[in-house]
Amino acid sequence: MLLTLVVMQQTYQTELKPLPYLTFLDKIYYCAYLITFALFALFVWATNLFATAERLGASEEYMAALRIRVNKADIWFQAIGIIFVLIGSAVAWISS
């Protein structure tokens, strides 16, 4: 996803003449970069939890509870990510 964002941003920037300031799209892309890095951190956290549990020989009940915990964190992240994009877009629009 990060590579896609970088390519998309570079593609649109080649269509414009060089500007000395950030455009609205640049600010949106920076919000997307932050969310992408946070998604990566969420992935690493969840993978570490599951790997540690498996290495320690956790029971099926514990693994099921762990899946529920990770799914809840994922749902919260998605909600916060949407709110972040909406607020970031509004702030970027107002400041542009």
Side-chain angles (χ1 to χ4, degrees):
M1 184 167 176
L2 182 60
L3 181 59
T4 303
L5 286 171
V6 169
V7 169
M8 287 173 56
Q9 186 177 22
Q10 294 298 322
T11 302
Y12 105 83
Q13 284 180 344
T14 58
E15 299 294 320
L16 295 174
K17 62 180 179 174
L19 300 170
Y21 55 87
L22 293 176
T23 65
F24 173 72
L25 272 177
D26 287 326
K27 294 173 185 175
I28 297 297
Y29 278 114
Y30 292 140
C31 287
Y33 289 139
L34 290 174
I35 290 174
T36 301
F37 289 129
L39 262 174
F40 180 71
L42 179 69
F43 172 77
V44 169
W45 170 76
T47 303
N48 187 37
L49 281 179
F50 284 115
T52 302
E54 286 180 5
R55 188 177 64 242
L56 296 175
S59 66
E60 278 300 315
E61 295 82 25
Y62 181 80
M63 293 300 282
L66 195 57
R67 276 187 212 92
I68 291 170
R69 179 179 171 198
V70 168
N71 286 337
K72 284 182 183 179
D74 186 45
I75 289 170
W76 274 104
F77 176 81
Q78 290 177 35
I80 292 169
I82 290 170
I83 292 168
F84 180 74
V85 166
L86 293 173
I87 292 172
S89 298
V91 169
W93 183 261
I94 292 168
S95 66
S96 291

